[in-house]
Amino acid sequence: MAFEKRPLFDVHDPAFHTEQFAVGEDAKDALRHLRSEFIIPTKGDLKNKHFGPAANTNNYSPTTNSEPCTYLCGNSLGLQPRRTSEYIKRYLDTWASKGVYGHFKELEEGLPPWLHIDDAVKEQTAKIVGALPSEVVVMETLTANLHLLLASFYKPTKDRYKIIIEGKAFPSDYYAAISQLALHNLPSSALITITPSSPDSPYLSTEHILSVISQHHASTALVLLPGIQFYSGQFFQIDIITRHAQSLGITVGWDLAHAMGNVPLHLHDWNVDFAAWCNYKYMNGGPGVIGGLFVHERHGRVDTASPNGGSEGLVNGTIEGEEQLIYRPRLSGWWGSDKSARFRMDNKFVPIPGASGFQLSNPSALDMTAVTASLDVFAMTSMQELREKSLKLTAYLELRLQQYPDGKAPYRIITPLNPNERGAQLSVRLEPCLLDAVMEILEEEGVVVDERRPDVVRVAPAPLYNSFLDVHNFVTIFQRACKKAKKGLAETEESVMVENGKDLHH
Ligand SMILES: *Cc1c(COP(=O)(O)O)cnc(C)c1O
């Protein structure tokens, strides 16, 4: 794909690799104030064996431990917004002081009554994914939502029954797809995987993806792909792939675990059928917190049947003497039913139009409170502004990694170098047998990144809270660690050779 790589930085500037340069970039960063919205663990916090901050323990040593760590792991678990504990305290106080009235009682300050807490987060969530508020809902968790959506959108027929995913799909997505096939008594051969053309690179070109879809289209019911691939960091061309598959009569769903809160999305305009995500990666809602899903407007409609019928397969809720409702079949629960009817307990399911009609249970208000705190931080900026900073920050990481001070770097970036084909994350593949030693040094120095065995580290400068100085610190320590690990490996190999040599003489 052709792209113009604007020179965001002058890599020939002799100061480019210095700390002062990073500090200068931070000073120019219009979003730098957002970092103070987050609790950055200190190096001491990370090492100490107590759950609280190092400052609360007897081991606290302000001279060595109170520096912030270098946290580049928001792709796995985002950092805690400072306001989260305040919001959760308010939730606890409401529960303590109001009991069940907390469901209904409008309070002078603070959070909405729990009964409306799912509506309150729709607007901000919709902005992040580029949707109408009615097209999104915060509910359940990612894999559960994938199953709920597949239950509604995967409708295999004798002729069209295959599901297409990518070959390196996150295990949970693979399990979801393969178990859906089994539920329909279909063999695992009905799962088509898109694999990279070259064994050296995880890259899947859009042309390649489209060609696999074309090849199988006559027998395919559904395509399920990640917005951003968790391992390679590749950002797929959601609009082009969606349009192509739909033109061939295929339904298209997206797993946005790594795209949500990372890159601007336009799910409505891209005409995506459905999507799901979690709120604990770039969204900073806390480990395992409630997730979310998107159902396009055209799939969320609830219509009244014409008296003459003609409702073509989408008939539901046929009740004697009542008007007939037409809506997409789904696995239902009481929380997806119209609010005014919800407490009547009369077994008449009247789905809320849009994504909210896919809800099952009343959502955990504790989870919703944590998500609200996170969304309130996102509301201080926009995905466009975040993307602008992110493009710069990740380009800086890429260019710094490419300047290795000691000859040829013992690593290679496997994430696309085209900024349009990636989000915040760069995946770096090390030469064999270096990973353990490198990770050990990074941990010792208070640098948090994520490893994917055998040889990959994933590094994600999250634009909400990471700084250019974070990237500078990472690159400096990482390159030092690589050098040391390589030296250690060479010495081991040398001593093995000496050992083997001795053997030969015996
Ligand atoms: C993080 C992630 C998951 C996790 O699923 P949960 O149901 O939230 O545990 C699933 N799929 C992908 C692609 C992910 O990146």
Side-chain angles (χ1 to χ4, degrees):
M1 187 171 101
F3 66 97
E4 193 191 347
K5 201 161 172 193
R6 275 185 300 135
L8 290 168
F9 299 102
D10 175 12
V11 293
H12 303 295
D13 177 349
F16 181 63
H17 67 280
T18 62
E19 183 175 315
Q20 292 94 295
F21 183 89
V23 170
E25 287 301 314
D26 283 331
K28 286 189 276 177
D29 169 16
L31 300 183
R32 67 181 185 282
H33 59 288
L34 296 176
R35 182 178 171 89
S36 61
E37 290 290 324
F38 292 87
I39 303 173
I40 318 276
T42 67
K43 292 180 182 176
D45 292 343
L46 290 181
K47 285 193 181 156
N48 105 41
K49 288 235 166 69
H50 306 272
F51 68 81
N56 293 343
T57 75
N58 297 330
N59 303 332
Y60 183 51
S61 159
T63 45
T64 56
N65 282 347
S66 63
E67 272 180 71
C69 78
T70 301
Y71 194 88
L72 297 169
C73 208
N75 58 313
S76 185
L77 180 69
L79 288 180
Q80 185 182 129
R82 285 191 185 279
R83 62 184 68 210
T84 301
S85 62
E86 177 200 323
Y87 283 34
I88 287 180
K89 173 104 182 27
R90 264 193 256 159
Y91 149 79
L92 286 171
D93 289 348
T94 306
W95 179 24
S97 60
K98 302 281 185 284
V100 73
Y101 292 169
H103 279 302
F104 317 102
K105 199 150 190 120
E106 295 283 351
L107 301 177
E108 296 281 312
E109 72 290 309
L111 304 163
W114 303 323
L115 185 57
H116 303 299
I117 204 164
D118 45 348
D119 291 334
V121 294
K122 281 163 114 35
E123 199 131 323
Q124 289 181 39
T125 297
K127 276 191 196 145
I128 293 173
V129 297
L132 306 171
S134 63
E135 289 175 317
V136 299
V137 63
V138 174
M139 61 179 266
E140 309 295 335
T141 52
L142 175 50
T143 310
N145 284 334
L146 286 176
H147 274 301
L148 291 172
L149 289 164
L150 288 170
S152 184
F153 284 89
Y154 175 52
K155 295 285 168 208
T157 63
K158 193 168 126 296
D159 295 328
R160 304 192 83 150
Y161 56 91
K162 289 179 185 164
I163 299 179
I164 299 179
I165 63 170
E166 39 105 18
K168 275 233 169 210
F170 194 87
S172 208
D173 300 50
Y174 171 81
Y175 301 147
I178 203 99
S179 60
Q180 287 281 335
L181 292 175
L183 277 172
H184 290 280
N185 293 319
L186 288 162
S188 55
S189 58
L191 188 70
I192 303 301
T193 53
I194 308 172
T195 50
S197 326
S198 149
D200 288 344
S201 160
Y203 183 65
L204 297 173
S205 73
T206 302
E207 293 73 33
H208 179 49
I209 295 170
L210 300 188
S211 78
V212 174
I213 294 172
S214 293
Q215 190 194 330
H216 292 276
H217 85 269
S219 51
T220 296
L222 187 126
V223 173
L224 178 64
L225 289 173
I228 289 185
Q229 216 282 345
F230 79 97
Y231 174 80
S232 68
Q234 182 181 348
F235 181 12
F236 290 100
Q237 291 188 297
I238 299 177
D239 51 342
I240 294 175
I241 297 167
T242 300
R243 204 180 315 131
H244 178 77
Q246 287 174 344
S247 75
L248 298 170
I250 300 169
T251 300
V252 191
W254 293 91
D255 180 330
L256 302 176
H258 287 264
M260 182 73 185
N262 178 7
V263 287
L265 298 163
H266 305 282
L267 299 185
H268 177 85
D269 289 347
W270 293 342
N271 202 38
V272 163
D273 288 300
F274 68 88
W277 55 86
C278 55
N279 279 314
Y280 51 79
K281 292 173 179 169
Y282 294 95
M283 291 306 295
N284 316 310
V289 82
I290 194 165
L293 63 80
F294 164 91
V295 172
H296 198 278
E297 191 183 26
R298 68 187 189 286
H299 296 304
R301 284 206 309 266
V302 178
D303 294 322
T304 311
S306 69
N308 313 327
S311 29
E312 291 188 42
L314 293 183
V315 188
N316 274 277
T318 317
I319 293 153
E320 201 82 38
E322 296 265 328
E323 61 185 10
Q324 206 176 53
L325 295 178
I326 305 172
Y327 56 89
R328 204 181 167 81
R330 65 198 66 182
L331 296 177
S332 302
W334 76 314
W335 220 254
S337 195
D338 182 61
K339 270 187 191 173
S340 61
R342 195 182 277 161
F343 290 94
R344 282 210 303 262
M345 307 290 171
D346 60 1
N347 280 353
K348 284 175 204 150
F349 183 71
V350 180
I352 303 170
S356 288
F358 285 74
Q359 290 174 103
L360 301 182
S361 300
N362 76 106
S364 155
L366 178 56
D367 275 35
M368 282 293 196
T369 302
V371 169
T372 302
S374 150
L375 288 171
D376 283 356
V377 178
F378 272 89
M380 299 171 79
T381 176
S382 66
M383 284 312 299
Q384 219 43 57
E385 283 178 330
L386 280 174
R387 178 62 170 166
E388 230 168 87
K389 171 172 174 186
S390 182
L391 285 169
K392 233 181 144 183
L393 200 56
T394 303
Y396 175 62
L397 172 62
E398 176 199 329
L399 296 170
R400 284 293 310 274
L401 281 170
Q402 283 171 350
Q403 291 191 334
Y404 194 67
D406 302 287
K408 188 181 168 301
Y411 55 78
R412 188 162 64 83
I413 297 170
I414 58 170
T415 302
L417 297 184
N418 175 355
N420 296 324
E421 288 188 292
R422 69 187 187 202
Q425 169 192 331
L426 293 186
S427 304
V428 182
R429 181 179 285 154
L430 290 161
E431 284 177 4
C433 308
L434 296 180
L435 184 71
D436 285 343
V438 167
M439 285 304 289
E440 196 178 310
I441 295 168
L442 291 180
E443 186 175 340
E444 181 55 35
E445 302 267 348
V447 175
V448 185
V449 293
D450 169 285
E451 64 178 357
R452 288 288 134 166
R453 297 191 164 272
D455 297 317
V456 169
V457 287
R458 299 186 301 169
V459 189
L464 264 179
Y465 49 77
N466 282 124
S467 62
F468 288 84
L469 186 58
D470 283 334
V471 172
H472 168 81
N473 287 338
F474 164 74
V475 174
T476 308
I477 294 163
F478 177 69
Q479 291 184 333
R480 204 190 303 145
C482 286
K483 192 175 170 189
K484 210 166 156 191
K486 229 178 130 66
K487 190 152 166 272
L489 190 64
E491 282 166 8
T492 315
E493 276 167 2
E494 208 166 285
S495 67
V496 169
M497 258 150 64
V498 170
E499 278 300 309
N500 289 348
K502 269 191 209 147
D503 285 349
L504 279 181
H505 294 289
H506 275 259

Coordinates of all heavy atoms in Angstrom, one line a residue, residues 325-366:
L325 N -44.1 -8.1 17.0 CA -42.9 -7.4 16.8 C -41.9 -8.1 15.9 O -41.8 -9.3 16.0 CB -42.2 -7.1 18.2 CG -43.0 -6.3 19.2 CD1 -42.2 -6.2 20.5 CD2 -43.2 -4.9 18.6
I326 N -41.2 -7.3 15.1 CA -40.2 -7.9 14.2 C -38.8 -7.4 14.6 O -38.6 -6.2 14.7 CB -40.5 -7.6 12.8 CG1 -41.9 -8.0 12.4 CG2 -39.5 -8.3 11.9 CD1 -42.3 -7.5 11.1
Y327 N -38.0 -8.3 15.0 CA -36.6 -7.9 15.3 C -35.7 -9.1 15.1 O -36.1 -10.2 15.0 CB -36.5 -7.3 16.8 CG -37.1 -8.3 17.8 CD1 -36.2 -9.2 18.4 CD2 -38.4 -8.3 18.2 CE1 -36.7 -10.1 19.3 CE2 -38.9 -9.2 19.1 CZ -38.0 -10.1 19.7 OH -38.5 -11.0 20.6
R328 N -34.4 -8.8 15.1 CA -33.4 -9.8 14.9 C -33.4 -10.8 16.1 O -33.3 -10.4 17.2 CB -32.1 -9.1 14.9 CG -31.0 -9.8 14.2 CD -29.7 -9.1 14.2 NE -28.9 -10.3 13.7 CZ -28.8 -10.6 12.4 NH1 -29.4 -9.8 11.5 NH2 -28.2 -11.7 12.1
P329 N -33.5 -12.1 15.8 CA -33.5 -13.0 16.9 C -32.1 -13.0 17.7 O -31.1 -12.7 17.1 CB -33.7 -14.4 16.2 CG -34.3 -14.1 14.9 CD -33.7 -12.7 14.5
R330 N -32.2 -13.3 18.9 CA -31.0 -13.2 19.8 C -31.2 -14.0 21.0 O -32.3 -14.4 21.3 CB -30.8 -11.7 20.2 CG -32.0 -11.2 21.0 CD -32.1 -9.7 21.1 NE -32.4 -9.1 19.8 CZ -32.5 -7.8 19.6 NH1 -32.3 -7.0 20.5 NH2 -32.9 -7.4 18.4
L331 N -30.2 -14.2 21.8 CA -30.3 -14.8 23.1 C -30.7 -13.6 24.1 O -30.0 -12.6 24.2 CB -29.0 -15.4 23.6 CG -28.5 -16.6 22.8 CD1 -27.2 -17.1 23.3 CD2 -29.6 -17.7 22.8
S332 N -31.8 -13.7 24.7 CA -32.4 -12.6 25.4 C -32.4 -12.7 27.0 O -32.4 -13.8 27.5 CB -33.8 -12.3 25.0 OG -33.9 -12.1 23.6
G333 N -32.4 -11.6 27.6 CA -32.5 -11.5 29.1 C -33.4 -10.3 29.4 O -33.6 -9.4 28.5
W334 N -33.8 -10.1 30.6 CA -34.7 -9.1 31.0 C -34.2 -7.7 30.8 O -34.9 -6.7 30.5 CB -35.2 -9.3 32.4 CG -34.2 -8.9 33.5 CD1 -32.9 -9.2 33.6 CD2 -34.5 -8.1 34.7 NE1 -32.3 -8.7 34.8 CE2 -33.3 -8.1 35.5 CE3 -35.6 -7.5 35.2 CZ2 -33.2 -7.4 36.7 CZ3 -35.5 -6.8 36.5 CH2 -34.3 -6.8 37.2
W335 N -32.8 -7.5 30.9 CA -32.3 -6.1 30.8 C -32.3 -5.6 29.3 O -32.1 -4.5 29.1 CB -30.9 -6.1 31.4 CG -30.7 -4.8 32.1 CD1 -29.9 -3.7 31.7 CD2 -31.3 -4.4 33.4 NE1 -30.0 -2.7 32.6 CE2 -30.8 -3.1 33.7 CE3 -32.1 -5.1 34.3 CZ2 -31.2 -2.4 34.8 CZ3 -32.5 -4.4 35.4 CH2 -32.0 -3.1 35.7
G336 N -32.5 -6.5 28.4 CA -32.6 -6.1 27.0 C -34.0 -5.7 26.7 O -34.3 -5.2 25.6
S337 N -34.9 -5.9 27.6 CA -36.3 -5.5 27.3 C -36.6 -4.1 27.7 O -36.0 -3.5 28.6 CB -37.2 -6.5 28.1 OG -38.5 -6.4 27.6
D338 N -37.6 -3.5 27.0 CA -38.0 -2.1 27.2 C -38.1 -1.8 28.7 O -38.8 -2.5 29.5 CB -39.3 -1.9 26.5 CG -39.8 -0.5 26.6 OD1 -39.0 0.4 26.1 OD2 -40.8 -0.3 27.2
K339 N -37.6 -0.6 29.1 CA -37.5 -0.3 30.5 C -38.9 -0.2 31.2 O -39.1 -0.6 32.3 CB -36.8 1.0 30.7 CG -35.3 0.8 31.0 CD -34.6 2.0 31.3 CE -33.1 1.8 31.3 NZ -32.3 3.0 31.4
S340 N -39.8 0.4 30.4 CA -41.1 0.6 31.0 C -41.8 -0.7 31.3 O -42.7 -0.8 32.1 CB -42.0 1.5 30.1 OG -42.2 0.8 28.8
A341 N -41.4 -1.8 30.5 CA -42.1 -3.1 30.7 C -41.3 -4.0 31.6 O -41.8 -5.0 32.0 CB -42.3 -3.7 29.3
R342 N -40.0 -3.6 31.9 CA -39.1 -4.5 32.5 C -39.6 -5.0 33.8 O -39.4 -6.2 34.1 CB -37.8 -3.8 32.7 CG -36.6 -4.7 32.9 CD -35.3 -3.8 33.1 NE -34.7 -3.5 31.9 CZ -33.8 -2.5 31.8 NH1 -33.5 -1.7 32.8 NH2 -33.3 -2.2 30.6
F343 N -40.2 -4.2 34.6 CA -40.5 -4.6 36.0 C -42.0 -5.1 36.0 O -42.5 -5.4 37.1 CB -40.3 -3.4 36.9 CG -38.8 -3.2 37.2 CD1 -38.2 -2.2 36.4 CD2 -38.1 -3.9 38.1 CE1 -36.8 -2.0 36.6 CE2 -36.7 -3.7 38.2 CZ -36.1 -2.8 37.5
R344 N -42.6 -5.2 34.9 CA -44.0 -5.8 34.9 C -44.0 -7.3 35.1 O -45.0 -7.9 35.5 CB -44.7 -5.4 33.6 CG -45.2 -4.0 33.5 CD -46.5 -3.9 32.7 NE -46.3 -4.3 31.3 CZ -46.1 -3.5 30.3 NH1 -46.0 -2.3 30.5 NH2 -45.9 -4.0 29.1
M345 N -42.8 -7.9 34.7 CA -42.7 -9.3 34.9 C -43.8 -10.1 34.2 O -44.3 -11.1 34.8 CB -42.6 -9.7 36.4 CG -41.6 -8.9 37.2 SD -39.9 -9.4 36.8 CE -39.0 -8.2 37.6
D346 N -44.2 -9.7 33.0 CA -45.3 -10.4 32.4 C -44.8 -11.3 31.2 O -45.7 -11.6 30.4 CB -46.3 -9.4 31.9 CG -45.7 -8.4 31.0 OD1 -44.5 -8.5 30.6 OD2 -46.4 -7.4 30.5
N347 N -43.6 -11.5 31.1 CA -43.1 -12.4 30.0 C -43.3 -11.9 28.6 O -43.4 -12.7 27.7 CB -43.6 -13.8 30.2 CG -42.9 -14.6 31.2 OD1 -41.9 -14.1 31.8 ND2 -43.4 -15.8 31.5
K348 N -43.4 -10.6 28.5 CA -43.5 -10.0 27.1 C -42.2 -9.3 26.8 O -42.0 -8.2 27.4 CB -44.7 -9.0 27.0 CG -46.0 -9.7 26.9 CD -47.1 -8.8 26.9 CE -48.4 -9.4 27.5 NZ -49.3 -8.5 28.1
F349 N -41.4 -10.0 26.0 CA -40.1 -9.4 25.7 C -40.2 -8.4 24.6 O -40.7 -8.7 23.5 CB -39.1 -10.5 25.3 CG -37.7 -9.9 25.0 CD1 -36.9 -9.5 26.0 CD2 -37.2 -9.9 23.7 CE1 -35.6 -9.0 25.7 CE2 -35.9 -9.4 23.4 CZ -35.1 -9.0 24.4
V350 N -40.0 -7.1 25.0 CA -40.1 -6.0 24.0 C -38.7 -5.4 23.9 O -38.3 -4.6 24.7 CB -41.1 -4.9 24.5 CG1 -41.2 -3.8 23.5 CG2 -42.4 -5.6 24.7
P351 N -37.9 -5.8 22.9 CA -36.5 -5.4 22.9 C -36.3 -3.9 22.8 O -37.0 -3.2 22.1 CB -35.9 -6.1 21.7 CG -37.0 -6.5 20.9 CD -38.2 -6.7 21.8
I352 N -35.4 -3.4 23.6 CA -35.0 -2.0 23.4 C -34.4 -1.9 22.0 O -33.6 -2.7 21.6 CB -33.9 -1.6 24.5 CG1 -34.4 -1.8 25.9 CG2 -33.5 -0.1 24.3 CD1 -33.3 -1.7 26.9
P353 N -34.8 -0.9 21.2 CA -34.2 -0.8 19.9 C -32.7 -0.5 20.0 O -32.3 0.2 20.9 CB -34.9 0.4 19.3 CG -36.2 0.6 20.1 CD -35.9 0.1 21.5
G354 N -31.9 -1.1 19.1 CA -30.5 -0.9 19.1 C -29.7 -1.9 19.9 O -30.3 -2.9 20.3
A355 N -28.5 -1.6 20.2 CA -27.6 -2.5 20.9 C -28.1 -2.9 22.3 O -27.9 -4.0 22.8 CB -26.2 -2.0 21.0
S356 N -28.8 -1.9 23.0 CA -29.2 -2.2 24.3 C -30.1 -3.4 24.4 O -30.3 -4.0 25.5 CB -29.9 -1.0 24.9 OG -28.9 0.0 25.2
G357 N -30.8 -3.7 23.3 CA -31.7 -4.8 23.3 C -31.0 -6.1 23.3 O -31.7 -7.2 23.4
F358 N -29.7 -6.1 23.3 CA -28.9 -7.4 23.4 C -28.5 -7.7 24.8 O -27.8 -8.7 25.0 CB -27.7 -7.3 22.4 CG -28.1 -7.5 21.0 CD1 -28.8 -6.5 20.3 CD2 -27.9 -8.7 20.3 CE1 -29.2 -6.7 18.9 CE2 -28.3 -8.9 19.0 CZ -28.9 -7.9 18.3
Q359 N -28.8 -6.8 25.7 CA -28.4 -7.0 27.1 C -29.1 -8.2 27.7 O -30.3 -8.5 27.4 CB -28.7 -5.8 28.0 CG -27.8 -4.6 27.6 CD -28.3 -3.3 28.4 OE1 -27.7 -3.0 29.4 NE2 -29.4 -2.8 28.0
L360 N -28.4 -8.8 28.7 CA -29.1 -9.9 29.4 C -29.4 -9.5 30.8 O -30.5 -9.6 31.2 CB -28.1 -11.2 29.4 CG -27.7 -11.8 28.1 CD1 -26.8 -13.0 28.4 CD2 -28.8 -12.2 27.2
S361 N -28.3 -9.2 31.6 CA -28.5 -9.0 33.0 C -28.3 -7.5 33.4 O -27.8 -6.7 32.6 CB -27.4 -9.7 33.7 OG -27.4 -11.1 33.4
N362 N -28.8 -7.2 34.6 CA -28.5 -5.8 35.0 C -27.0 -5.8 35.3 O -26.4 -6.7 35.8 CB -29.3 -5.5 36.3 CG -28.9 -6.1 37.6 OD1 -28.3 -5.4 38.4 ND2 -29.1 -7.4 37.7
P363 N -26.4 -4.7 34.7 CA -24.9 -4.6 34.7 C -24.4 -4.4 36.1 O -25.0 -3.7 36.9 CB -24.6 -3.4 33.8 CG -25.8 -2.6 33.9 CD -27.0 -3.5 34.1
S364 N -23.2 -4.8 36.4 CA -22.5 -4.5 37.6 C -22.3 -3.0 37.8 O -21.6 -2.4 36.9 CB -21.1 -5.3 37.7 OG -20.3 -4.6 38.6
A365 N -22.9 -2.4 38.8 CA -22.7 -1.0 38.9 C -21.3 -0.6 39.3 O -20.8 0.4 39.0 CB -23.7 -0.5 40.0
L366 N -20.6 -1.6 40.0 CA -19.2 -1.4 40.3 C -18.4 -1.3 39.0 O -17.6 -0.3 38.9 CB -18.8 -2.5 41.2 CG -17.3 -2.6 41.6 CD1 -16.9 -1.3 42.3 CD2 -17.0 -3.8 42.5

